[in-house]
Amino acid sequence: MDFQAIYSFLFESYAGLGILIGASLIISIIAAAIMEYRTRKRFVDHADKERDAEYFE
């Protein structure tokens, strides 16, 4: 397959658009999971929640 056929399939057919949307959703979920894992790993020893609640009252 040449580039024109792949481009045509992805951007000019309903199946191709479905593949693009599905792939972007999967990539977004994987990126969010990786970022959440890194954040939890970095901020393991966070202060007590009771002390944090005082600031919002």
Side-chain angles (χ1 to χ4, degrees), residues 1-54:
M1 292 182 86
D2 61 344
F3 179 74
Q4 178 63 33
I6 294 171
Y7 182 86
S8 231
F9 172 71
L10 288 176
F11 294 104
E12 296 178 3
S13 68
Y14 288 117
L17 289 174
I19 289 172
L20 286 174
I21 291 170
S24 63
L25 284 173
I26 290 172
I27 290 170
S28 297
I29 290 171
I30 291 171
I34 290 170
M35 289 186 287
E36 179 69 22
Y37 173 74
R38 288 183 180 176
T39 302
R40 286 179 187 255
K41 190 176 173 183
R42 180 173 292 169
F43 297 109
V44 171
D45 55 348
H46 186 66
D48 294 334
K49 290 185 180 182
E50 294 174 7
R51 204 172 116 208
D52 289 341
E54 294 173 1

